[in-house]
Amino acid sequence: MDIFNIIVIFAHKLKDMGSYINTGNAGFQRARNGEYVDKSGLISVVNSTLFTEHCFSCVTRCRRLGKSMAAKMLCAYYDQSCDSRALFADLKIEKHKV
């Protein structure tokens, strides 16, 4: 294997590292179709830290208390590949838009 092939393989791996795997709003849409407790206030907290030195957010909760749901909500809100406005229309975040 020559150096060119190694560089090509490495470049493909780097390209894959930048892939966003949780695209779309299907997970959050399924949650909204069932019983859902509004936790969209988290989005306001994340929005207030964007583009600041505190831009890294860590969502921690005890086991079985909504970390995956929070991640699905954030994915649906920030994802630009789909229109999620209807999913957030009746939530707290709609009143706190910037």
Side-chain angles (χ1 to χ4, degrees):
M1 183 177 285
D2 64 359
I3 190 69
F4 177 76
N5 288 335
I6 293 172
I7 291 172
V8 169
I9 291 169
F10 184 72
H12 284 288
K13 288 185 185 231
L14 281 178
K15 185 184 91 173
D16 291 340
M17 288 173 56
S19 298
Y20 186 69
I21 58 173
N22 294 325
T23 59
N25 61 12
F28 188 61
Q29 190 170 26
R30 280 192 303 274
R32 289 300 317 268
N33 289 336
E35 291 184 32
Y36 176 75
V37 176
D38 187 0
K39 300 289 184 179
S40 63
L42 175 64
I43 297 170
S44 294
V45 173
V46 173
N47 284 343
S48 69
T49 63
L50 291 176
F51 308 112
T52 69
E53 63 183 30
H54 307 289
C55 62
F56 299 102
S57 299
C58 179
V59 179
T60 61
R61 297 190 188 277
C62 298
R63 193 175 133 196
R64 308 284 304 155
L65 288 178
K67 292 182 293 295
S68 295
M69 184 58 57
K72 290 174 187 174
M73 176 186 64
L74 291 171
C75 286
Y77 187 80
Y78 290 111
D79 192 349
Q80 296 179 358
S81 70
C82 58
D83 186 4
S84 298
R85 285 179 279 193
L87 292 173
F88 293 94
D90 59 338
L91 300 180
K92 292 177 192 173
I93 190 63
E94 184 65 26
K95 297 174 187 140
H96 294 103
K97 284 201 169 186
V98 179

